[in-house]
Amino acid sequence: MEDTSEEILQKQRDILYAKTIPERFQIGAEAIDFGRSLVISNIRSNNPCISEIDLKIEILKRYYGNFFKPVELEKIIQSILSMYRSLENNSFEHDDSSELYEHHRFEVDKGQATLRIDKYLSDRIGHVSRTKIQSAAQAGNILVDNCPVKSNYKVKPLEIISVVLPFPPRETEIIPQNIPVNIIYEDNDIIVVNKGAGMIVHPGYGNDNGTLVNALYWHLKDNPLFESGEIRAGLVHRLDKDTTGLMVVAKTEYALNHLAKQFFERAAGRRYIALIWGTFDIGSGTITGHIGRNLKDRRIMAVFPDGSYGKAAVTHYTVLEKLGYVSLLECKLETGRTHQIRAHLAYIRHPVFNDQVYGGSQIIKGTTFSKYKQFVDNCFKILPRQALHAKTISFIHPVTKKLMNFDSELPSDMQQVIDKWRNYITGRKNVFI
């Protein structure tokens, strides 16, 4: 019978303790290099992502004779997992309110000695500094048995610790660029922008400049948060390149942690407007189904209604207007998965109008007349992207604690296409009665 990972660790622990510190650092470097090659190999394949548990066990088995003390081993594994999530998250384009925070949960060992919680967490979360953890505590993001605690709190055996942190930083050289940004609100703590079509939110694979973050580094060049080289500075959520609408960005570490917690707890409200193919017999509804990367094409997302893969996702929609062969919807996200609105609507066979990834760039509903085809093609030319706009956003201000509500107008290209559909059905009322 093959040993479990815990048995392997127990058997080989003494071997490592006999090694010198330089040798142990070398082993750690080799483990991280191995993790990197394993991650990249997996991401480049068309297979589903290896789970984090499987990755941990694989690392343990690979280093059968080279293990660390539990805390040291956890730091190495967390470093690899951080890289795993980072590579997995940035190898492909993200959109539709993919959120930029992470959640950790720990149960304190029954033999744990008295220790400050910031020290306890920094020992267990390899990529986060003690200062970052203290900022999270200040924002109320560290809970012990569901109660917020300060950074000097002393952990006790068997307590349950929950912590929400901004996404692990990825530092690189960010070039500040004087790119126009539509800022609709700004104070000392936050900035709310109305992102235009064609703008990527932050640098990533193949997109080193021209992003919203490059523009913010210019606009906020005297702000310490935007001097670090962090590619996601101030971000707690994002929109994809061709989805327009409102985003909130933090200007301080405290605001970043406070907003991250709101997005994690679904306390921040966002409503989207989507023009979609087809009509509904009901005025509102809910779409449920796990969302994960398509098992054949990892560049796109798929819905797994049986929950066999991906993460749970819930999208609520309300029909605002029926426009013949298309409809105008308001969508509210209960969860924040990559491509959630687009994937869910495609799953129920109502893809977003002109969504080239999820089948909306074809004529799904309507007639076979050439004039109709020409009409739709003209709409596609006016709106050469998916018809999706993040219209409203609401959240509690990190410092004043006041409810902040922001609304935005539909972008002109989307409004023009909606007006064209209204005019189209006006002359054909008898057809759409």
Side-chain angles (χ1 to χ4, degrees), residues 119-392:
K119 179 67 167 62
Y120 177 89
L121 291 173
S122 64
D123 286 343
R124 283 157 179 77
I125 308 175
H127 57 265
V128 179
S129 68
R130 196 165 172 178
T131 301
K132 296 279 187 183
I133 291 171
Q134 290 169 349
S135 295
Q138 184 184 10
N141 290 22
I142 298 179
L143 305 180
V144 174
D145 294 337
N146 296 319
C147 295
V149 297
K150 296 181 179 180
S151 59
N152 62 356
Y153 177 85
K154 302 295 197 310
V155 299
K156 301 177 183 63
L158 302 181
E159 288 180 326
I160 302 299
I161 300 173
S162 176
V163 55
V164 176
L165 297 165
F167 207 74
R170 293 185 63 239
E171 294 186 1
T172 186
E173 182 181 2
I174 302 294
I175 302 173
Q177 294 178 299
N178 189 9
I179 303 169
V181 178
N182 184 4
I183 298 172
I184 66 172
Y185 176 83
E186 183 176 8
D187 60 26
N188 292 332
D189 307 289
I190 61 171
I191 182 171
V192 178
V193 302
N194 189 358
K195 189 188 82 67
M199 174 176 275
I200 296 172
V201 171
H202 62 72
Y205 181 75
N207 300 294
D208 297 330
N209 55 68
T211 72
L212 175 62
V213 166
N214 291 105
L216 290 174
Y217 264 79
W218 176 276
H219 180 74
L220 302 171
K221 50 191 170 186
D222 295 325
N223 185 308
L225 197 62
F226 290 83
E227 294 176 349
S228 62
E230 157 58 8
I231 68 172
R232 291 178 288 248
L235 299 179
V236 291
H237 69 124
R238 54 189 157 195
L239 301 173
D240 91 273
K241 176 181 177 180
D242 289 323
T243 297
T244 56
L246 299 180
M247 293 183 60
V248 58
V249 180
K251 293 175 64 175
T252 68
E253 192 74 37
Y254 175 80
L256 183 62
N257 278 280
H258 198 281
L259 289 171
K261 183 182 179 185
Q262 290 188 58
F263 276 79
F264 170 71
E265 295 177 343
R266 311 299 173 199
R270 289 159 295 165
R271 295 182 184 274
Y272 293 72
I273 300 297
L275 184 67
I276 58 97
W277 280 106
T279 58
F280 295 86
D281 294 330
I282 56 177
S284 61
T286 298
I287 310 168
T288 60
H290 279 49
I291 291 180
R293 294 207 177 275
N294 188 297
L295 301 184
K296 294 182 179 179
D297 184 353
R298 291 181 47 77
R299 295 170 298 178
I300 64 176
M301 309 304 287
V303 177
F304 300 84
D306 60 357
S308 60
Y309 184 58
K311 295 181 179 179
V314 180
T315 304
H316 304 287
Y317 67 86
T318 300
V319 179
L320 300 179
E321 191 174 358
K322 294 182 179 180
L323 298 169
Y325 300 118
V326 298
S327 297
L328 197 63
L329 301 187
E330 179 185 77
C331 298
K332 181 181 179 182
L333 300 181
E334 191 171 308
T335 52
R337 311 304 179 203
T338 300
H339 295 197
Q340 178 170 323
I341 292 175
R342 297 163 65 191
H344 264 170
L345 288 171
Y347 169 68
I348 64 170
R349 299 183 181 179
H350 291 285
V352 176
F353 188 79
N354 206 16
D355 189 334
Q356 299 180 26
V357 175
Y358 292 96
S361 59
Q362 305 174 32
I363 297 178
I364 307 298
K365 301 286 183 179
T367 72
T368 58
F369 296 132
S370 59
K371 285 188 177 181
Y372 175 71
K373 182 179 184 302
Q374 184 179 6
F375 166 77
V376 174
D377 285 343
N378 287 337
C379 289
F380 286 163
K381 290 177 181 177
I382 294 171
L383 183 71
R385 61 180 183 87
Q386 65 262 17
L388 184 61
H389 177 70
K391 193 173 190 299
T392 72

Side-chain angles (χ1 to χ4, degrees), residues 4-39:
T4 66
S5 59
E6 288 299 322
E7 290 170 336
I8 292 172
L9 178 59
Q10 185 64 39
K11 286 180 179 180
Q12 304 304 321
R13 190 173 287 152
D14 291 339
I15 296 176
L16 182 70
Y17 291 168
K19 295 182 180 294
T20 66
I21 290 178
E23 287 175 326
R24 289 163 70 172
F25 275 114
Q26 179 60 33
I27 292 169
E30 291 174 0
I32 291 173
D33 285 341
F34 163 70
R36 181 181 292 110
S37 64
L38 178 65
V39 167

